[in-house]
Amino acid sequence: MAYFQRDAFLLLALAASLLMTALDRAIGLELVPPLSASLWDTSWFLDDTGRLGAFIAAMTGYRARPELISVLVYTLYWFAAVALLRSGRPRPAERAS
């Protein structure tokens, strides 16, 4: 069971990365407004254009300088993913039967 949970988390993180990449491209094409300038800058700690930062960004959707729309979409994605995972879990009463 632990392997499934780890694999599910890795797949969800990769899907979040793909979602963020699609959102970045949509912002670049001006299909989606960014809603703000960069909210913060963590590039001093982990730059998403560096080797390690680019790997983490590719695997999780990390952005060193995210706009408001990116933060909102990323947060909503994880809330929806967790809610869907919990809704599929059997309850303790169902496990006993």
Side-chain angles (χ1 to χ4, degrees), residues 85-97:
L85 282 176
R86 287 184 182 220
S87 69
R89 253 189 217 165
R91 292 177 179 77
E94 294 174 1
R95 283 187 219 157
S97 37

Side-chain angles (χ1 to χ4, degrees), residues 6-57:
R6 184 193 65 206
D7 292 346
F9 175 76
L10 289 174
L11 286 172
L12 287 171
L14 187 57
S17 172
L18 292 172
L19 177 64
M20 296 307 294
T21 300
L23 182 62
D24 287 343
R25 301 244 170 121
I27 290 171
L29 292 172
E30 297 180 357
L31 297 173
V32 176
L35 299 182
S36 72
S38 296
L39 295 177
W40 61 78
D41 185 2
T42 55
S43 61
W44 59 271
F45 180 68
L46 183 63
D47 190 9
D48 56 0
T49 60
R51 210 176 246 188
L52 178 62
F55 176 74
I56 292 173

